[in-house]
Amino acid sequence: AMLRENVGNALQNGGIVLLPSFAIGRTQEMLLILHDMGFPIYLDGMGIEATRIILDNPSFIRDADKLRKAFGKAHKIEHSGERRRVLDEQCIVIASAGMLQGGPMHYYIRKLYKKENCLLIFNGYQVEGTTGRALLEKHRFIQSGSSVDVKMGIQFMDFSAHIGKENLLSFIEKASPKRVAPVHGSRVPAFAAELKAMGFDVVEMKNGDSIKV
């Protein structure tokens, strides 16, 4: 409710709302929450293809029909040249990257950072040292050696669904898998060692590795 209210206030004030979003999960969640607000929604970046893949596997999601309808209504930016027209009207832009470590969201920030009636809402955790964390804490957009003061509104709403270490261990114990491949984290080696000590067959993945499931 708060997300819709804040987005609505910015749009009614003549602004554009930017939602930096992770391609898998968060993009679709934002789309489902906001698709019926009566303003255009633009999707840009990896979230478009991710949503198509998700919709090709409807049995894995709660309400595929609702997502398909919301995705169908949204405008998809398929080429970089199409981004200019997005800024001609009040709208919502959902684009990668969620922590602003690259992605098309940079384009929209560079075009709108001076506009006080526009709003950027982070909807996921911003890791220390990322462009997103600097923008959230310092209201500065630091990228490619440049740094600018951002005048648009910056907000954070926690939609994170991450679980902690103990929850992960509990899940793995209950699932009792043949193999475990821990990835994507700053403490992966220590976590892998703990899993090995518990008797699990642990696969330590490196960037570029593949695994048969």
Side-chain angles (χ1 to χ4, degrees):
M2 186 177 291
L3 174 65
R4 286 175 63 93
E5 180 180 341
N6 291 6
V7 168
N9 288 340
L11 292 169
Q12 294 294 341
N13 197 33
I16 293 173
V17 178
L18 304 181
L19 297 167
S21 300
F22 306 120
I24 300 172
R26 200 59 46 78
T27 288
Q28 296 76 36
E29 188 174 8
M30 294 296 103
L31 187 56
L32 286 168
I33 292 171
L34 301 172
H35 76 280
D36 59 351
M37 290 195 64
F39 287 89
I41 293 181
Y42 288 89
L43 296 179
D44 200 349
M46 293 172 61
I48 298 172
E49 184 60 25
T51 306
R52 288 178 176 139
I53 293 170
I54 289 168
L55 287 172
D56 283 342
N57 298 274
S59 62
F60 290 97
I61 53 178
R62 184 180 302 154
D63 195 338
D65 289 339
K66 186 176 179 181
L67 179 58
R68 188 172 288 107
K69 180 180 177 182
F71 185 61
K73 283 178 61 179
H75 304 278
K76 293 87 171 171
I77 302 300
E78 305 284 4
H79 306 286
S80 59
E82 299 175 2
R83 290 179 185 135
R84 289 190 297 273
R85 65 182 171 88
V86 175
L87 306 177
D88 292 338
E89 61 181 338
Q90 293 153 260
C91 64
I92 300 163
V93 180
I94 303 172
S96 52
M99 296 185 194
L100 299 182
Q101 294 294 91
M105 186 54 78
H106 282 202
Y107 172 86
Y108 302 103
I109 294 173
R110 286 196 297 268
K111 292 294 184 182
L112 300 175
Y113 73 91
K114 295 180 181 178
K115 297 185 180 294
E116 296 182 5
N117 64 333
C118 292
L119 175 64
L120 183 146
I121 302 177
F122 287 109
N123 48 64
Y125 180 70
Q126 303 299 302
V127 170
E128 192 170 342
T130 60
T131 303
R133 183 68 168 262
L135 180 56
L136 182 62
E137 292 184 343
K138 303 174 183 176
H139 272 237
R140 294 191 67 80
F141 181 57
I142 303 169
Q143 192 259 336
S144 299
S146 67
S147 175
V148 295
D149 284 318
V150 175
K151 303 299 183 186
M152 73 167 68
I154 305 292
Q155 296 178 3
F156 172 75
M157 295 187 183
D158 191 1
F159 282 81
S160 180
H162 287 186
I163 61 174
K165 173 187 160 188
E166 296 307 318
N167 300 103
L168 279 172
L169 288 174
S170 175
F171 172 77
I172 292 168
E173 284 183 309
K174 288 178 182 176
S176 190
K178 291 181 180 178
R179 288 186 295 172
V180 183
V183 295
H184 191 62
S186 58
R187 300 179 180 87
V188 166
F191 190 58
E194 190 166 346
L195 288 169
K196 286 179 181 177
M198 293 169 66
F200 289 104
D201 181 7
V202 178
V203 181
E204 297 188 51
M205 306 287 288
K206 301 183 187 68
N207 220 17
D209 285 354
S210 59
I211 186 170
K212 288 186 178 180
V213 179

mmCIF file of all heavy atoms in Angstrom, residues 154-204:
data_model
loop_
_atom_site.group_PDB
_atom_site.id
_atom_site.type_symbol
_atom_site.label_atom_id
_atom_site.label_comp_id
_atom_site.label_asym_id
_atom_site.label_seq_id
_atom_site.Cartn_x
_atom_site.Cartn_y
_atom_site.Cartn_z
ATOM 1 N N ILE A 154 14.683 10.124 -3.214
ATOM 2 C CA ILE A 154 15.257 8.783 -3.094
ATOM 3 C C ILE A 154 14.611 8.107 -1.892
ATOM 4 O O ILE A 154 14.649 8.643 -0.778
ATOM 5 C CB ILE A 154 16.788 8.817 -2.900
ATOM 6 C CG1 ILE A 154 17.476 9.609 -4.002
ATOM 7 C CG2 ILE A 154 17.340 7.396 -2.815
ATOM 8 C CD1 ILE A 154 17.422 8.984 -5.362
ATOM 9 N N GLN A 155 14.030 6.946 -2.108
ATOM 10 C CA GLN A 155 13.393 6.204 -1.016
ATOM 11 C C GLN A 155 13.846 4.749 -1.046
ATOM 12 O O GLN A 155 14.304 4.248 -2.074
ATOM 13 C CB GLN A 155 11.862 6.267 -1.123
ATOM 14 C CG GLN A 155 11.283 7.661 -0.979
ATOM 15 C CD GLN A 155 9.776 7.673 -1.137
ATOM 16 O OE1 GLN A 155 9.129 6.634 -1.310
ATOM 17 N NE2 GLN A 155 9.191 8.860 -1.071
ATOM 18 N N PHE A 156 13.694 4.100 0.102
ATOM 19 C CA PHE A 156 13.990 2.665 0.188
ATOM 20 C C PHE A 156 12.794 1.956 0.803
ATOM 21 O O PHE A 156 12.300 2.358 1.862
ATOM 22 C CB PHE A 156 15.226 2.407 1.040
ATOM 23 C CG PHE A 156 15.474 0.938 1.311
ATOM 24 C CD1 PHE A 156 15.977 0.119 0.317
ATOM 25 C CD2 PHE A 156 15.175 0.390 2.547
ATOM 26 C CE1 PHE A 156 16.191 -1.235 0.550
ATOM 27 C CE2 PHE A 156 15.383 -0.963 2.796
ATOM 28 C CZ PHE A 156 15.895 -1.777 1.796
ATOM 29 N N MET A 157 12.327 0.912 0.158
ATOM 30 C CA MET A 157 11.283 0.055 0.702
ATOM 31 C C MET A 157 11.776 -1.381 0.626
ATOM 32 O O MET A 157 12.150 -1.848 -0.447
ATOM 33 C CB MET A 157 9.976 0.231 -0.078
ATOM 34 C CG MET A 157 9.384 1.606 0.045
ATOM 35 S SD MET A 157 7.751 1.712 -0.720
ATOM 36 C CE MET A 157 7.420 3.464 -0.456
ATOM 37 N N ASP A 158 11.765 -2.060 1.738
ATOM 38 C CA ASP A 158 12.395 -3.370 1.818
ATOM 39 C C ASP A 158 11.447 -4.477 1.364
ATOM 40 O O ASP A 158 10.547 -4.873 2.091
ATOM 41 C CB ASP A 158 12.852 -3.632 3.253
ATOM 42 C CG ASP A 158 13.741 -4.850 3.354
ATOM 43 O OD1 ASP A 158 14.011 -5.478 2.302
ATOM 44 O OD2 ASP A 158 14.179 -5.193 4.462
ATOM 45 N N PHE A 159 11.672 -4.963 0.144
ATOM 46 C CA PHE A 159 10.929 -6.104 -0.372
ATOM 47 C C PHE A 159 11.786 -7.368 -0.358
ATOM 48 O O PHE A 159 11.417 -8.366 -0.960
ATOM 49 C CB PHE A 159 10.460 -5.829 -1.806
ATOM 50 C CG PHE A 159 9.265 -4.933 -1.898
ATOM 51 C CD1 PHE A 159 9.403 -3.550 -1.798
ATOM 52 C CD2 PHE A 159 7.998 -5.455 -2.091
ATOM 53 C CE1 PHE A 159 8.302 -2.716 -1.888
ATOM 54 C CE2 PHE A 159 6.883 -4.629 -2.185
ATOM 55 C CZ PHE A 159 7.032 -3.253 -2.082
ATOM 56 N N SER A 160 12.923 -7.303 0.313
ATOM 57 C CA SER A 160 13.869 -8.414 0.263
ATOM 58 C C SER A 160 13.263 -9.692 0.839
ATOM 59 O O SER A 160 12.585 -9.675 1.872
ATOM 60 C CB SER A 160 15.142 -8.059 1.040
ATOM 61 O OG SER A 160 16.055 -9.134 0.993
ATOM 62 N N ALA A 161 13.525 -10.794 0.161
ATOM 63 C CA ALA A 161 13.036 -12.098 0.623
ATOM 64 C C ALA A 161 14.194 -13.013 1.011
ATOM 65 O O ALA A 161 14.029 -14.234 1.100
ATOM 66 C CB ALA A 161 12.205 -12.749 -0.478
ATOM 67 N N HIS A 162 15.371 -12.438 1.241
ATOM 68 C CA HIS A 162 16.535 -13.248 1.605
ATOM 69 C C HIS A 162 16.355 -13.871 2.990
ATOM 70 O O HIS A 162 15.728 -13.286 3.870
ATOM 71 C CB HIS A 162 17.804 -12.394 1.612
ATOM 72 C CG HIS A 162 18.266 -12.038 0.242
ATOM 73 N ND1 HIS A 162 19.452 -11.385 0.002
ATOM 74 C CD2 HIS A 162 17.715 -12.244 -0.964
ATOM 75 C CE1 HIS A 162 19.598 -11.200 -1.292
ATOM 76 N NE2 HIS A 162 18.557 -11.712 -1.893
ATOM 77 N N ILE A 163 16.912 -15.058 3.163
ATOM 78 C CA ILE A 163 16.896 -15.688 4.474
ATOM 79 C C ILE A 163 18.328 -15.756 4.995
ATOM 80 O O ILE A 163 19.294 -15.630 4.239
ATOM 81 C CB ILE A 163 16.272 -17.098 4.427
ATOM 82 C CG1 ILE A 163 17.069 -18.026 3.497
ATOM 83 C CG2 ILE A 163 14.831 -17.025 3.998
ATOM 84 C CD1 ILE A 163 16.589 -19.460 3.527
ATOM 85 N N GLY A 164 18.466 -15.947 6.294
ATOM 86 C CA GLY A 164 19.777 -15.976 6.920
ATOM 87 C C GLY A 164 20.421 -17.348 6.880
ATOM 88 O O GLY A 164 19.841 -18.334 6.400
ATOM 89 N N LYS A 165 21.621 -17.403 7.411
ATOM 90 C CA LYS A 165 22.417 -18.634 7.380
ATOM 91 C C LYS A 165 21.706 -19.801 8.079
ATOM 92 O O LYS A 165 21.654 -20.913 7.554
ATOM 93 C CB LYS A 165 23.766 -18.366 8.035
ATOM 94 C CG LYS A 165 24.630 -19.602 8.216
ATOM 95 C CD LYS A 165 25.857 -19.265 9.030
ATOM 96 C CE LYS A 165 26.444 -20.527 9.628
ATOM 97 N NZ LYS A 165 27.535 -20.220 10.573
ATOM 98 N N GLU A 166 21.165 -19.555 9.263
ATOM 99 C CA GLU A 166 20.530 -20.644 10.005
ATOM 100 C C GLU A 166 19.323 -21.199 9.260
ATOM 101 O O GLU A 166 19.070 -22.400 9.260
ATOM 102 C CB GLU A 166 20.129 -20.156 11.409
ATOM 103 C CG GLU A 166 21.305 -19.757 12.292
ATOM 104 C CD GLU A 166 22.357 -20.844 12.395
ATOM 105 O OE1 GLU A 166 21.984 -22.041 12.533
ATOM 106 O OE2 GLU A 166 23.561 -20.521 12.325
ATOM 107 N N ASN A 167 18.557 -20.308 8.616
ATOM 108 C CA ASN A 167 17.418 -20.761 7.829
ATOM 109 C C ASN A 167 17.870 -21.601 6.643
ATOM 110 O O ASN A 167 17.227 -22.607 6.290
ATOM 111 C CB ASN A 167 16.614 -19.563 7.324
ATOM 112 C CG ASN A 167 16.071 -18.708 8.444
ATOM 113 O OD1 ASN A 167 16.610 -17.650 8.729
ATOM 114 N ND2 ASN A 167 15.023 -19.158 9.105
ATOM 115 N N LEU A 168 18.980 -21.181 6.003
ATOM 116 C CA LEU A 168 19.511 -21.949 4.882
ATOM 117 C C LEU A 168 19.951 -23.345 5.324
ATOM 118 O O LEU A 168 19.640 -24.346 4.672
ATOM 119 C CB LEU A 168 20.698 -21.209 4.251
ATOM 120 C CG LEU A 168 20.381 -20.077 3.277
ATOM 121 C CD1 LEU A 168 21.660 -19.341 2.903
ATOM 122 C CD2 LEU A 168 19.702 -20.613 2.027
ATOM 123 N N LEU A 169 20.664 -23.412 6.449
ATOM 124 C CA LEU A 169 21.123 -24.703 6.948
ATOM 125 C C LEU A 169 19.944 -25.613 7.285
ATOM 126 O O LEU A 169 19.958 -26.805 6.979
ATOM 127 C CB LEU A 169 22.005 -24.500 8.181
ATOM 128 C CG LEU A 169 23.399 -23.920 7.934
ATOM 129 C CD1 LEU A 169 24.102 -23.632 9.250
ATOM 130 C CD2 LEU A 169 24.247 -24.886 7.098
ATOM 131 N N SER A 170 18.913 -25.025 7.899
ATOM 132 C CA SER A 170 17.739 -25.799 8.250
ATOM 133 C C SER A 170 17.053 -26.347 6.998
ATOM 134 O O SER A 170 16.648 -27.521 6.958
ATOM 135 C CB SER A 170 16.768 -24.924 9.052
ATOM 136 O OG SER A 170 15.563 -25.605 9.305
ATOM 137 N N PHE A 171 16.953 -25.502 5.972
ATOM 138 C CA PHE A 171 16.324 -25.929 4.720
ATOM 139 C C PHE A 171 17.114 -27.061 4.073
ATOM 140 O O PHE A 171 16.544 -28.051 3.598
ATOM 141 C CB PHE A 171 16.208 -24.748 3.758
ATOM 142 C CG PHE A 171 15.756 -25.131 2.377
ATOM 143 C CD1 PHE A 171 14.419 -25.415 2.129
ATOM 144 C CD2 PHE A 171 16.661 -25.226 1.334
ATOM 145 C CE1 PHE A 171 13.992 -25.793 0.855
ATOM 146 C CE2 PHE A 171 16.250 -25.599 0.065
ATOM 147 C CZ PHE A 171 14.908 -25.881 -0.171
ATOM 148 N N ILE A 172 18.437 -26.909 4.036
ATOM 149 C CA ILE A 172 19.287 -27.925 3.398
ATOM 150 C C ILE A 172 19.184 -29.249 4.144
ATOM 151 O O ILE A 172 19.104 -30.329 3.526
ATOM 152 C CB ILE A 172 20.748 -27.438 3.329
ATOM 153 C CG1 ILE A 172 20.856 -26.261 2.352
ATOM 154 C CG2 ILE A 172 21.689 -28.560 2.899
ATOM 155 C CD1 ILE A 172 22.173 -25.521 2.410
ATOM 156 N N GLU A 173 19.151 -29.184 5.468
ATOM 157 C CA GLU A 173 19.018 -30.417 6.252
ATOM 158 C C GLU A 173 17.696 -31.125 5.958
ATOM 159 O O GLU A 173 17.643 -32.345 5.800
ATOM 160 C CB GLU A 173 19.125 -30.093 7.742
ATOM 161 C CG GLU A 173 20.549 -29.824 8.215
ATOM 162 C CD GLU A 173 20.632 -29.588 9.710
ATOM 163 O OE1 GLU A 173 19.874 -28.746 10.219
ATOM 164 O OE2 GLU A 173 21.459 -30.263 10.360
ATOM 165 N N LYS A 174 16.609 -30.354 5.855
ATOM 166 C CA LYS A 174 15.303 -30.952 5.585
ATOM 167 C C LYS A 174 15.218 -31.503 4.163
ATOM 168 O O LYS A 174 14.628 -32.554 3.920
ATOM 169 C CB LYS A 174 14.207 -29.911 5.805
ATOM 170 C CG LYS A 174 13.961 -29.574 7.263
ATOM 171 C CD LYS A 174 12.898 -28.487 7.420
ATOM 172 C CE LYS A 174 12.689 -28.125 8.871
ATOM 173 N NZ LYS A 174 11.723 -27.009 9.037
ATOM 174 N N ALA A 175 15.818 -30.760 3.210
ATOM 175 C CA ALA A 175 15.762 -31.194 1.811
ATOM 176 C C ALA A 175 16.664 -32.398 1.556
ATOM 177 O O ALA A 175 16.397 -33.216 0.671
ATOM 178 C CB ALA A 175 16.162 -30.040 0.895
ATOM 179 N N SER A 176 17.750 -32.502 2.331
ATOM 180 C CA SER A 176 18.704 -33.605 2.218
ATOM 181 C C SER A 176 19.115 -33.887 0.771
ATOM 182 O O SER A 176 18.923 -34.983 0.246
ATOM 183 C CB SER A 176 18.102 -34.873 2.846
ATOM 184 O OG SER A 176 19.091 -35.880 2.947
ATOM 185 N N PRO A 177 19.694 -32.890 0.081
ATOM 186 C CA PRO A 177 20.051 -33.063 -1.338
ATOM 187 C C PRO A 177 21.289 -33.937 -1.519
ATOM 188 O O PRO A 177 22.090 -34.112 -0.599
ATOM 189 C CB PRO A 177 20.350 -31.625 -1.772
ATOM 190 C CG PRO A 177 20.854 -30.962 -0.529
ATOM 191 C CD PRO A 177 20.080 -31.565 0.609
ATOM 192 N N LYS A 178 21.423 -34.472 -2.745
ATOM 193 C CA LYS A 178 22.617 -35.252 -3.055
ATOM 194 C C LYS A 178 23.855 -34.377 -3.077
ATOM 195 O O LYS A 178 24.934 -34.776 -2.659
ATOM 196 C CB LYS A 178 22.445 -35.951 -4.414
ATOM 197 C CG LYS A 178 21.405 -37.053 -4.415
ATOM 198 C CD LYS A 178 21.322 -37.695 -5.789
ATOM 199 C CE LYS A 178 20.280 -38.810 -5.803
ATOM 200 N NZ LYS A 178 20.152 -39.430 -7.154
ATOM 201 N N ARG A 179 23.703 -33.164 -3.622
ATOM 202 C CA ARG A 179 24.820 -32.227 -3.693
ATOM 203 C C ARG A 179 24.325 -30.819 -3.385
ATOM 204 O O ARG A 179 23.156 -30.501 -3.614
ATOM 205 C CB ARG A 179 25.471 -32.231 -5.082
ATOM 206 C CG ARG A 179 26.268 -33.484 -5.387
ATOM 207 C CD ARG A 179 26.998 -33.347 -6.718
ATOM 208 N NE ARG A 179 26.070 -33.252 -7.833
ATOM 209 C CZ ARG A 179 26.435 -32.966 -9.084
ATOM 210 N NH1 ARG A 179 27.700 -32.746 -9.373
ATOM 211 N NH2 ARG A 179 25.537 -32.910 -10.051
ATOM 212 N N VAL A 180 25.224 -29.984 -2.895
ATOM 213 C CA VAL A 180 24.909 -28.577 -2.615
ATOM 214 C C VAL A 180 25.952 -27.717 -3.320
ATOM 215 O O VAL A 180 27.154 -27.979 -3.215
ATOM 216 C CB VAL A 180 24.920 -28.267 -1.098
ATOM 217 C CG1 VAL A 180 24.517 -26.816 -0.852
ATOM 218 C CG2 VAL A 180 24.014 -29.211 -0.345
ATOM 219 N N ALA A 181 25.496 -26.697 -4.028
ATOM 220 C CA ALA A 181 26.415 -25.791 -4.736
ATOM 221 C C ALA A 181 26.164 -24.360 -4.252
ATOM 222 O O ALA A 181 25.373 -23.626 -4.856
ATOM 223 C CB ALA A 181 26.214 -25.894 -6.240
ATOM 224 N N PRO A 182 26.810 -23.946 -3.166
ATOM 225 C CA PRO A 182 26.602 -22.576 -2.671
ATOM 226 C C PRO A 182 27.270 -21.553 -3.597
ATOM 227 O O PRO A 182 28.417 -21.711 -3.995
ATOM 228 C CB PRO A 182 27.264 -22.581 -1.290
ATOM 229 C CG PRO A 182 28.246 -23.698 -1.327
ATOM 230 C CD PRO A 182 27.722 -24.703 -2.312
ATOM 231 N N VAL A 183 26.511 -20.517 -3.953
ATOM 232 C CA VAL A 183 27.029 -19.462 -4.833
ATOM 233 C C VAL A 183 26.509 -18.112 -4.359
ATOM 234 O O VAL A 183 25.634 -18.036 -3.505
ATOM 235 C CB VAL A 183 26.594 -19.675 -6.311
ATOM 236 C CG1 VAL A 183 27.194 -20.937 -6.884
ATOM 237 C CG2 VAL A 183 25.075 -19.720 -6.419
ATOM 238 N N HIS A 184 27.055 -17.046 -4.915
ATOM 239 C CA HIS A 184 26.506 -15.698 -4.771
ATOM 240 C C HIS A 184 26.485 -15.229 -3.318
ATOM 241 O O HIS A 184 25.444 -15.086 -2.697
ATOM 242 C CB HIS A 184 25.093 -15.641 -5.352
ATOM 243 C CG HIS A 184 24.559 -14.241 -5.484
ATOM 244 N ND1 HIS A 184 25.144 -13.295 -6.271
ATOM 245 C CD2 HIS A 184 23.490 -13.633 -4.918
ATOM 246 C CE1 HIS A 184 24.457 -12.162 -6.194
ATOM 247 N NE2 HIS A 184 23.448 -12.343 -5.373
ATOM 248 N N GLY A 185 27.650 -14.970 -2.783
ATOM 249 C CA GLY A 185 27.732 -14.452 -1.427
ATOM 250 C C GLY A 185 29.164 -14.196 -1.034
ATOM 251 O O GLY A 185 30.098 -14.792 -1.584
ATOM 252 N N SER A 186 29.356 -13.317 -0.044
ATOM 253 C CA SER A 186 30.715 -12.967 0.377
ATOM 254 C C SER A 186 31.332 -14.024 1.289
ATOM 255 O O SER A 186 32.533 -14.032 1.511
ATOM 256 C CB SER A 186 30.705 -11.611 1.094
ATOM 257 O OG SER A 186 29.829 -11.654 2.220
ATOM 258 N N ARG A 187 30.500 -14.939 1.820
ATOM 259 C CA ARG A 187 31.017 -15.941 2.762
ATOM 260 C C ARG A 187 30.826 -17.366 2.244
ATOM 261 O O ARG A 187 30.671 -18.296 3.027
ATOM 262 C CB ARG A 187 30.317 -15.769 4.111
ATOM 263 C CG ARG A 187 30.533 -14.398 4.733
ATOM 264 C CD ARG A 187 29.793 -14.254 6.063
ATOM 265 N NE ARG A 187 30.012 -12.945 6.645
ATOM 266 C CZ ARG A 187 29.287 -11.875 6.379
ATOM 267 N NH1 ARG A 187 28.301 -11.965 5.510
ATOM 268 N NH2 ARG A 187 29.532 -10.714 6.946
ATOM 269 N N VAL A 188 30.843 -17.516 0.933
ATOM 270 C CA VAL A 188 30.616 -18.830 0.340
ATOM 271 C C VAL A 188 31.647 -19.868 0.795
ATOM 272 O O VAL A 188 31.272 -20.988 1.168
ATOM 273 C CB VAL A 188 30.576 -18.736 -1.204
ATOM 274 C CG1 VAL A 188 30.681 -20.123 -1.838
ATOM 275 C CG2 VAL A 188 29.287 -18.063 -1.649
ATOM 276 N N PRO A 189 32.966 -19.569 0.803
ATOM 277 C CA PRO A 189 33.937 -20.598 1.228
ATOM 278 C C PRO A 189 33.686 -21.107 2.646
ATOM 279 O O PRO A 189 33.742 -22.324 2.893
ATOM 280 C CB PRO A 189 35.282 -19.863 1.127
ATOM 281 C CG PRO A 189 35.051 -18.803 0.096
ATOM 282 C CD PRO A 189 33.654 -18.350 0.316
ATOM 283 N N ALA A 190 33.375 -20.189 3.572
ATOM 284 C CA ALA A 190 33.128 -20.606 4.956
ATOM 285 C C ALA A 190 31.853 -21.435 5.057
ATOM 286 O O ALA A 190 31.787 -22.432 5.793
ATOM 287 C CB ALA A 190 33.026 -19.372 5.860
ATOM 288 N N PHE A 191 30.833 -21.029 4.292
ATOM 289 C CA PHE A 191 29.569 -21.762 4.308
ATOM 290 C C PHE A 191 29.754 -23.153 3.698
ATOM 291 O O PHE A 191 29.219 -24.137 4.208
ATOM 292 C CB PHE A 191 28.517 -20.972 3.536
ATOM 293 C CG PHE A 191 27.112 -21.500 3.668
ATOM 294 C CD1 PHE A 191 26.514 -21.608 4.912
ATOM 295 C CD2 PHE A 191 26.390 -21.902 2.552
ATOM 296 C CE1 PHE A 191 25.215 -22.095 5.045
ATOM 297 C CE2 PHE A 191 25.098 -22.385 2.671
ATOM 298 C CZ PHE A 191 24.508 -22.488 3.925
ATOM 299 N N ALA A 192 30.547 -23.237 2.628
ATOM 300 C CA ALA A 192 30.830 -24.526 1.991
ATOM 301 C C ALA A 192 31.559 -25.457 2.959
ATOM 302 O O ALA A 192 31.251 -26.649 3.044
ATOM 303 C CB ALA A 192 31.649 -24.311 0.721
ATOM 304 N N ALA A 193 32.509 -24.886 3.694
ATOM 305 C CA ALA A 193 33.265 -25.691 4.662
ATOM 306 C C ALA A 193 32.349 -26.224 5.761
ATOM 307 O O ALA A 193 32.485 -27.381 6.198
ATOM 308 C CB ALA A 193 34.382 -24.849 5.271
ATOM 309 N N GLU A 194 31.413 -25.411 6.204
ATOM 310 C CA GLU A 194 30.473 -25.836 7.241
ATOM 311 C C GLU A 194 29.576 -26.954 6.735
ATOM 312 O O GLU A 194 29.287 -27.926 7.449
ATOM 313 C CB GLU A 194 29.637 -24.642 7.701
ATOM 314 C CG GLU A 194 28.813 -24.921 8.941
ATOM 315 C CD GLU A 194 28.259 -23.660 9.577
ATOM 316 O OE1 GLU A 194 28.719 -22.554 9.230
ATOM 317 O OE2 GLU A 194 27.370 -23.790 10.440
ATOM 318 N N LEU A 195 29.139 -26.843 5.482
ATOM 319 C CA LEU A 195 28.298 -27.890 4.894
ATOM 320 C C LEU A 195 29.064 -29.205 4.758
ATOM 321 O O LEU A 195 28.526 -30.287 5.010
ATOM 322 C CB LEU A 195 27.782 -27.435 3.525
ATOM 323 C CG LEU A 195 26.712 -26.346 3.526
ATOM 324 C CD1 LEU A 195 26.492 -25.817 2.106
ATOM 325 C CD2 LEU A 195 25.398 -26.879 4.096
ATOM 326 N N LYS A 196 30.336 -29.106 4.370
ATOM 327 C CA LYS A 196 31.170 -30.314 4.263
ATOM 328 C C LYS A 196 31.316 -30.986 5.624
ATOM 329 O O LYS A 196 31.252 -32.214 5.735
ATOM 330 C CB LYS A 196 32.544 -29.949 3.706
ATOM 331 C CG LYS A 196 32.556 -29.636 2.220
ATOM 332 C CD LYS A 196 33.962 -29.266 1.761
ATOM 333 C CE LYS A 196 33.997 -28.924 0.280
ATOM 334 N NZ LYS A 196 35.355 -28.492 -0.159
ATOM 335 N N ALA A 197 31.512 -30.157 6.660
ATOM 336 C CA ALA A 197 31.655 -30.704 8.013
ATOM 337 C C ALA A 197 30.385 -31.399 8.478
ATOM 338 O O ALA A 197 30.430 -32.303 9.324
ATOM 339 C CB ALA A 197 32.021 -29.578 8.987
ATOM 340 N N MET A 198 29.246 -31.002 7.897
ATOM 341 C CA MET A 198 27.963 -31.631 8.238
ATOM 342 C C MET A 198 27.719 -32.893 7.426
ATOM 343 O O MET A 198 26.706 -33.562 7.605
ATOM 344 C CB MET A 198 26.827 -30.630 8.005
ATOM 345 C CG MET A 198 26.853 -29.438 8.947
ATOM 346 S SD MET A 198 25.686 -28.126 8.448
ATOM 347 C CE MET A 198 24.107 -28.959 8.681
ATOM 348 N N GLY A 199 28.642 -33.195 6.485
ATOM 349 C CA GLY A 199 28.542 -34.424 5.723
ATOM 350 C C GLY A 199 27.947 -34.285 4.340
ATOM 351 O O GLY A 199 27.713 -35.285 3.654
ATOM 352 N N PHE A 200 27.709 -33.062 3.887
ATOM 353 C CA PHE A 200 27.123 -32.856 2.565
ATOM 354 C C PHE A 200 28.197 -32.863 1.485
ATOM 355 O O PHE A 200 29.341 -32.454 1.718
ATOM 356 C CB PHE A 200 26.360 -31.528 2.512
ATOM 357 C CG PHE A 200 25.080 -31.524 3.294
ATOM 358 C CD1 PHE A 200 25.011 -30.892 4.519
ATOM 359 C CD2 PHE A 200 23.948 -32.168 2.806
ATOM 360 C CE1 PHE A 200 23.836 -30.897 5.250
ATOM 361 C CE2 PHE A 200 22.773 -32.172 3.522
ATOM 362 C CZ PHE A 200 22.705 -31.542 4.750
ATOM 363 N N ASP A 201 27.815 -33.359 0.302
ATOM 364 C CA ASP A 201 28.682 -33.307 -0.877
ATOM 365 C C ASP A 201 28.560 -31.903 -1.462
ATOM 366 O O ASP A 201 27.522 -31.551 -2.025
ATOM 367 C CB ASP A 201 28.239 -34.364 -1.893
ATOM 368 C CG ASP A 201 29.117 -34.372 -3.144
ATOM 369 O OD1 ASP A 201 30.137 -33.662 -3.164
ATOM 370 O OD2 ASP A 201 28.751 -35.071 -4.104
ATOM 371 N N VAL A 202 29.598 -31.104 -1.342
ATOM 372 C CA VAL A 202 29.541 -29.688 -1.729
ATOM 373 C C VAL A 202 30.327 -29.468 -3.013
ATOM 374 O O VAL A 202 31.469 -29.892 -3.146
ATOM 375 C CB VAL A 202 30.103 -28.789 -0.611
ATOM 376 C CG1 VAL A 202 30.095 -27.329 -1.040
ATOM 377 C CG2 VAL A 202 29.289 -28.971 0.666
ATOM 378 N N VAL A 203 29.686 -28.805 -3.978
ATOM 379 C CA VAL A 203 30.329 -28.439 -5.236
ATOM 380 C C VAL A 203 30.696 -26.959 -5.155
ATOM 381 O O VAL A 203 29.820 -26.108 -4.999
ATOM 382 C CB VAL A 203 29.390 -28.672 -6.434
ATOM 383 C CG1 VAL A 203 30.093 -28.316 -7.738
ATOM 384 C CG2 VAL A 203 28.897 -30.106 -6.455
ATOM 385 N N GLU A 204 31.976 -26.666 -5.227
ATOM 386 C CA GLU A 204 32.415 -25.271 -5.154
ATOM 387 C C GLU A 204 32.526 -24.722 -6.575
ATOM 388 O O GLU A 204 33.422 -25.084 -7.328
ATOM 389 C CB GLU A 204 33.741 -25.174 -4.402
ATOM 390 C CG GLU A 204 33.614 -25.625 -2.948
ATOM 391 C CD GLU A 204 34.862 -25.364 -2.135
ATOM 392 O OE1 GLU A 204 35.350 -24.216 -2.159
ATOM 393 O OE2 GLU A 204 35.352 -26.315 -1.482
#
